[in-house]
Structures are given as structure tokens and as C-alpha cells.
Amino acid sequence: MNPLIIVAIVVVVVLLIVYISIRNNISRTQVKIDEASAGIDVALQKRYDVLTKMLDVVKAYTKYEKETILEVIKVRQGMSMDEKVEADKKMSEEFSKISVVAENYPELRSSDNYKTLQQAIADTEEHLQAARRMFNSNVSKLNQLLVTFPSNVVASGMGVTKRAFYEVEEAKKEDVKMDFE
Amino acid sequence: MDIESLENLRKETVRKCNKNNMIFAFIIVIILLILFLIFKVFDVRFLFLIFVVYIPFGIMNEKVKSEYKNTFMKSLLPIAVKNILTDVQVDVNNGIPSYVIQETHSMSTGDRYHSSNFVSGKYKDIKVMMSDVHIQDEHEDSEGNTSYVTIFLGQWMIFDFNKNFKSNVQIWEKKVFGGISRRWKSSLKKVELEDIEFNEKFKVLSENELDAFYIITPKLMERVKAVEAAINGTIMLVFYNNQLHVAVYNNKTTFNVNIHKTINFEEFARESLKDLDAIIKFVDILELDNDLFKVGEVNKIEEPVADVTRAATTSSNQGIVAANTEPVTSQPVQQNSSIENVDAVTYFNNINK
């Protein structure tokens, strides 16, 4: 066989292997992003459950409209990233309000249930942070593939576009405002 | 046992060793003389005979020295470190059993496993355990000669960890442990975190990527880098079963007691604190005493999951003395008082009940 043809075949095979490898890498990263997004859902649901229990405890001491609050904060399957960010933000606001209210009720603050739930809040926050970090890490990997050669060529052929990071709300970056009214 | 009694014991130990050595020398001289009279020539192979005859005497000497060292450590260590460690338990002859390390799925325990100088106690209310560990692999060359290569020599420590988690997450310092980790066929997945410097220095393996991000926060990454810089040796951390296991590969053993030197308590106390330095640094730098995420008694340390029969089998394989079943007790440490102590195997058996 003509050596040139052999070389051409080898080059084509190598290019094919490289293409498949890059394509698989992009697909794997997309799956990891979806997995991380699911992790955020789980963490949000946990946080929501803790919030529900916290409201039950607070209700025993003050007039706190649990049902109204839970209506406003919606956590469900298949939320978009913006909806998740919104739910996260609203839950954080509610937790802050509860802390402030508890300042006026020493019996509430010293109850074992309240203390346990305070620790549970901190733990769920840690889990949510971990899920966010994992999500952002995988989004970063995908976005890097989309801007570097030759993976950007393969990605554009697959129709893959950049994904948005899970952004921390601007309000969260500020110092917590204590409102005792 | 007080220092005066220990000093007398030390002298008695030295006397026994010297007596064994003199008997050995006498026997060797007699044997060499007889061989010379028979063969009329001094053969180099006779040196092999010296080695063979020395074995039982060497074993007797080691046994006597080891008994002294155990008594010495049990008497003095709790007092020497009482400002740092409380509830101290010591067992010089035994260490962390190999099954404990095997269960972390981190490091192979090789073809030869030896652990000794087991110390446990509490530092800043954090339960800690430490022992020297020596792991070797057998190699056979093309001519059939067997040799042993050390794959780990250093300290293995176990701490309470201040988070609840189910996964197995490992941080390997790439420098030396990279080679060992490759040899251990791990089913764990590699995880890349956000800190580039951390990723360059360490390899992270985990059953579950999310748990790796949960346990290894940005703050913990900074602290691991800090503790790596502070510790002499190469480190590996395993977060498993609500505990933190730490391996420090430094080619050193701890609590080396010299029977030929007069006992100096101040010097021993200084050296002991140096040997416990790694424990102190890990707890302080990693802030293991920060119990923000602990939820009551549920977060108390869950001990390595293993059954007693496996421990006994492992012990017999390694020639460790079989355990008694007396419970571990801890008493306030006072000068010239001895606290009830148990060997390492009993300690781990009691934990697993």
C-alpha cells in the first residue's frame, strides 16, 4: 500500500480518537454539572425541612405564621438555577429573622430543640456551600473546555454552550443588618 | 512506679542484658575453639554460626528491654505530658492494628506490618490515638533472593473529626505518597478542588465528589497546607467513619528509650512533647476542637468498624499478645501513681464492643 495512504489512515484514526475522547470528556462534564445541580436540590430541600422544623419550634413561643412563610418559599424538583438562588436567598432571610426574633424570647433561645436546629442550620448551610462549590467547579471545567482548542471545536459541533455559575447574591456579600424592630 | 524504682529496674535490665551477652560470648568462644580443634582452620562460615547462636540471646535481650520500656512509659509518660494529654493510655509493644488501616482503604499494609508505641489520650477534649507503624513489601530478585523494602515508616494517628459524614475522603501529599497510592488499587475517584496550589501539592480521592467538597472546605485546604509546612515528613489524611486518620511518613519512631542512660525526667518530658508535636499541630492547625457542626452525643467518635474475632486473628498473625477483657479505666494522673493501663489490642477490642 502507498505509504502516504497509510499515513493518512493513521492520521484519521488518531484524529477520530482525539475527537471521541474530547466529546466524551465534554459529555461527562455535563453529567457532572447535572449531578452537582441535583446536589444543590438535595441541600436546598434539607434546608427547607430544617426551616419547617424551626418554624414549628418558634411558633410555640411567638405568633409566627409558618404556613404563610412556607408558601412564599418554594422548593421543588426541576427548578431553574435562578429559582434555586431565589429559594436559597429567601430561606437565608427567614433564618436571619428567626434569629432576631429569638433574641426577644430567652426561653426559646435556651430550648434544646432550638439549639439543635441552630446547629442543623449551620450543617445544612455547609452542605449547600459544598454543593454550590462542586457545581461551580464543574461549570468552570466545562467553560474552560469551550474556550480552549481543540475542545471548543468539538463543543460547538455538539451545540454545547457556556453554563452560568451559581452566583452568591449581592445581599449576602454585605454584612448582616441586624433589625431588632 | 517512681523514678527511683524505675532507675533500679533500668540497672537490673542492663545487668540482665550484660549477663546474656556474656553467656553468649562464652558459648561462642567454646564453640569456635572446638571447631578450630576439629578443623584446624578458622573458616569464615563460622561467623554464620555466631549469628545463629546470637538469635535466642537477642530475643531474650529484646524482651527484657521491651518490658522495661513498657513499664517506663506507662509510669512516666502520663505525668510528662499531663499538661497536654489527659486520660493517657500507653502500650509500647503494640500499636494500631493493621485492620484499622485496611478499613480506611487508603494504604496497603504490605507483606510485613509492625506497629508499636501506642499512645492514646485527649488533647483539648479531642480523643487521639497514635502509634509507630512500619510497613514493608517483600521483593524477590531474579536469583530468588528475598528482600524487604519499606513502603511506610512513621506515625499513624486517629482523631475525632468535627463533622458527620459517611464517605471516605483522602488527601495524599503527592511528593512521596504518590508512589504508594498508585500501588494501592483504589476504587475512589480523583477530585479536583478550586485551590490550584492545593491541587498541585495534594491528590484528593473520594467515594463521593460532593462529600469531598463538604469536608474539604477552602478553610481546611489552607489549614492542610499550613500543617504540611509545619510537620516534618510527608502526610496523608483520610476522613473516614467520622474520624480523621493521619499518616506521617518521616522514617522515624517515637519514644525511644535508652536503657544505658540514667533516667532524666525533664529530658524525657521534653522529648515526649516533641514526639507528640504532630498530634498537637494537627489538632491546633486543623482546629479539630471546633465543634460547630457537632450535634450532641450523636457526633461522638464512632470507632473503627471491625469485629473482635478479626482483631484476634490479626493479632495472632502478627504475634501480638492476646487481649484480656478488662475495661479501660482512666484516673486522674498524680505524681508517683500508676493508672490502670491496657494493651493496644484490648483498647481496640473494647472500642468495637
Side-chain angles (χ1 to χ4, degrees), chain A residues 110-143:
Chain A
S110 59
S111 83
D112 287 340
N113 282 343
Y114 183 78
K115 285 180 195 167
T116 304
L117 286 168
Q118 285 280 71
Q119 287 176 314
I121 290 168
D123 192 46
T124 55
E125 177 63 33
E126 280 281 300
H127 275 101
L128 185 55
Q129 275 195 33
R132 278 190 227 127
R133 283 172 56 217
M134 182 176 151
F135 178 83
N136 286 343
S137 172
N138 286 303
V139 164
S140 171
K141 278 182 200 155
L142 180 71
N143 292 348

Side-chain angles (χ1 to χ4, degrees), chain A residues 22-158:
Chain A
I22 292 173
R23 193 186 166 100
N24 287 345
N25 192 19
I26 291 171
S27 300
R28 262 197 300 271
T29 309
Q30 285 181 306
V31 168
K32 279 197 167 185
I33 290 172
D34 292 336
E35 183 190 330
S37 179
I40 292 174
D41 291 341
V42 168
L44 280 174
Q45 186 61 53
K46 260 192 206 173
R47 224 162 166 237
Y48 184 82
D49 292 342
V50 170
L51 177 62
T52 310
K53 287 181 187 149
M54 183 66 107
L55 288 169
D56 279 335
V57 169
V58 171
K59 214 171 70 163
Y61 294 85
T62 77
K63 284 185 197 160
Y64 221 73
E65 294 296 331
K66 169 187 167 185
E67 286 72 24
T68 316
I69 289 159
L70 294 180
E71 266 302 302
V72 172
I73 301 169
K74 291 189 191 321
V75 174
R76 53 176 172 73
Q77 291 262 355
M79 290 195 299
S80 68
M81 197 49 66
D82 287 339
E83 285 172 327
K84 290 178 197 182
V85 169
E86 188 59 27
D88 181 12
K89 178 186 163 193
K90 286 196 170 126
M91 278 194 271
S92 297
E93 283 170 0
E94 239 10 87
F95 281 128
S96 298
K97 281 183 197 166
I98 290 169
S99 294
V100 171
V101 163
E103 291 296 316
N104 296 323
Y105 294 89
E107 317 86 55
L108 168 63
R109 260 198 346 262
S110 59
S111 83
D112 287 340
N113 282 343
Y114 183 78
K115 285 180 195 167
T116 304
L117 286 168
Q118 285 280 71
Q119 287 176 314
I121 290 168
D123 192 46
T124 55
E125 177 63 33
E126 280 281 300
H127 275 101
L128 185 55
Q129 275 195 33
R132 278 190 227 127
R133 283 172 56 217
M134 182 176 151
F135 178 83
N136 286 343
S137 172
N138 286 303
V139 164
S140 171
K141 278 182 200 155
L142 180 71
N143 292 348
Q144 283 174 52
L145 288 170
L146 297 185
V147 297
T148 52
F149 181 82
S151 46
N152 57 343
V153 174
V154 176
S156 75
M158 289 168 71

Side-chain angles (χ1 to χ4, degrees), chain B residues 192-295:
Chain B
E192 286 228 339
L193 299 162
E194 311 96 313
D195 188 327
I196 295 172
E197 189 189 6
F198 183 87
N199 290 335
E200 279 171 6
K201 272 203 161 128
F202 302 97
K203 181 159 85 166
V204 176
L205 300 172
S206 178
E207 279 174 353
N208 178 326
E209 193 178 354
L210 185 57
D211 276 347
F213 279 92
Y214 170 62
I215 292 166
I216 310 174
T217 58
K219 211 187 255 184
L220 186 69
M221 281 190 268
E222 290 302 317
R223 288 178 188 153
V224 169
K225 285 192 283 186
V227 86
E228 184 269 332
I231 294 281
N232 285 327
T234 317
I235 62 172
M236 191 261 309
L237 293 83
V238 182
F239 301 87
Y240 171 73
N241 202 25
N242 294 336
Q243 292 174 300
L244 169 61
H245 291 245
V246 177
V248 179
Y249 187 165
N250 55 15
N251 284 316
K252 267 174 50 182
T253 53
T254 53
F255 306 115
N256 295 307
V257 175
N258 188 344
I259 65 161
H260 298 290
K261 275 177 79 173
T262 308
I263 296 174
N264 181 328
F265 180 75
E266 285 75 26
E267 188 184 329
F268 170 72
R270 260 198 316 274
E271 294 300 314
S272 301
L273 288 177
K274 273 191 205 166
D275 286 332
L276 294 176
D277 184 55
I279 286 180
I280 294 166
K281 281 186 173 136
F282 272 102
V283 173
D284 287 347
I285 297 175
L286 295 184
E287 290 188 20
L288 298 179
D289 54 331
N290 174 358
D291 62 356
L292 175 63
F293 303 106
K294 282 192 173 177
V295 184

